[in-house]
Amino acid sequence: AYACSKFVMEAFSDPLRQEVLQFGVSVSAIEPGVIQTPLVLNAGVNYERNWDALAPNARELYKKEYENGKKVIAETYRTSISPDHVAQAIEHAVSSSRPKTRYLVGIDAKFLAITAMIFPDRLRDQMFSWAEQKYSKSTTKPL
């Protein structure tokens, strides 16, 4: 649901910007990557809590996925950026005489935008699936 809400915001900002242009109003979309928010900071705790609530047979069945998930959460936290970066983008959007229509904040946001422009959706899906599988294999310790 979180990713969907971000897509809706982006989809809404383009026609809104076009509609209010006649009134001299500027609309900018702020599109951050992973930011150090409570959502990211608490992800590990919530992940552990949900894991602990699973039945023992479910934990045995999903142990590999659980271990991979822990590593992804740790890496996500490690690469997340300060909310100050988002604040700077917002400040520029509201104070600039010529604000950008879109502010991509963080290297991950820029990477995703570039890949969306360059690659067809199905190829991009395959690339991300391949990368996820490769990451899982390279980070999983044998049981």
Side-chain angles (χ1 to χ4, degrees):
Y2 179 79
C4 293
S5 70
K6 297 304 170 193
F7 183 75
V8 168
M9 186 279 309
E10 180 183 0
F12 181 72
S13 68
D14 288 337
L16 178 63
R17 184 181 63 253
Q18 294 162 1
E19 187 173 323
V20 299
L21 179 65
Q22 64 182 322
F23 305 114
V25 176
S26 177
V27 174
S28 297
I30 309 295
E31 300 179 21
V34 180
I35 306 299
Q36 294 167 353
T37 63
L39 178 71
V40 172
L41 300 176
N42 294 325
V45 172
N46 294 331
Y47 191 74
E48 292 293 332
R49 185 179 303 134
N50 290 331
W51 176 255
D52 291 343
L54 286 177
N57 61 334
R59 283 194 291 231
E60 184 61 35
L61 184 63
Y62 292 104
K63 184 170 180 55
K64 181 179 176 185
E65 287 79 6
Y66 165 73
E67 292 297 331
N68 289 339
K70 279 178 36 176
K71 291 172 184 162
V72 168
I73 289 171
E75 182 68 11
T76 299
Y77 178 76
R78 189 187 71 73
T79 59
S80 63
I81 61 174
S82 166
D84 294 341
H85 295 280
V86 178
Q88 291 169 0
I90 294 169
E91 180 182 17
H92 187 272
V94 299
S95 64
S96 175
S97 60
R98 291 183 49 102
K100 299 176 185 180
T101 58
R102 186 167 276 102
Y103 290 82
L104 300 171
V105 183
I107 192 73
D108 51 342
K110 292 172 185 165
F111 174 77
L112 291 175
I114 289 169
T115 59
M117 290 186 297
I118 295 174
F119 301 111
D121 291 344
R122 297 216 187 270
L123 177 58
R124 203 164 61 110
D125 293 346
Q126 286 297 321
M127 291 168 53
F128 287 122
S129 176
W130 174 79
E132 183 177 325
Q133 289 171 8
K134 184 174 172 119
Y135 178 80
S136 294
K137 288 179 185 174
S138 69
T139 59
T140 304
K141 296 178 183 173
L143 296 177

